[in-house]
Amino acid sequence: MHIHVLYGRQEAKYWLEPQVELAKNSGIPEHKLNEIKRIVEKYADDFKEQFQQHIGKRIDD
């Protein structure tokens, strides 16, 4: 499971499992990546839960 983060016209992809890890960066400065990673780590469980709820809704439709 992963999440995409947009920063201006740049984008980064972070794996959420098995741990939060940068998978790809398309131009975001490193100091911003560190800040983004802290935010992703803080909310990783919420992101995963929301995704599971979203998928569950699609399956039940």
Side-chain angles (χ1 to χ4, degrees):
M1 184 177 298
H2 66 274
I3 188 168
H4 292 264
V5 178
L6 301 177
Y7 179 75
R9 293 183 178 206
Q10 291 83 29
E11 180 177 4
K13 174 182 170 182
Y14 283 87
W15 292 111
L16 297 176
E17 295 178 337
Q19 63 191 27
V20 174
E21 182 179 355
L22 179 64
K24 183 178 179 182
N25 176 28
S26 298
I28 299 176
E30 189 166 340
H31 71 279
K32 284 294 179 183
L33 288 174
N34 294 332
E35 182 180 335
I36 292 166
K37 184 177 181 186
R38 284 191 295 274
I39 293 167
V40 173
E41 287 173 332
K42 181 176 180 178
Y43 294 103
D45 290 338
D46 294 331
F47 295 144
K48 290 185 269 188
E49 182 180 323
Q50 290 295 318
F51 178 75
Q52 293 300 329
Q53 288 177 3
H54 173 71
I55 292 299
K57 290 178 183 175
R58 289 179 50 200
I59 292 171
D60 293 338
D61 286 2

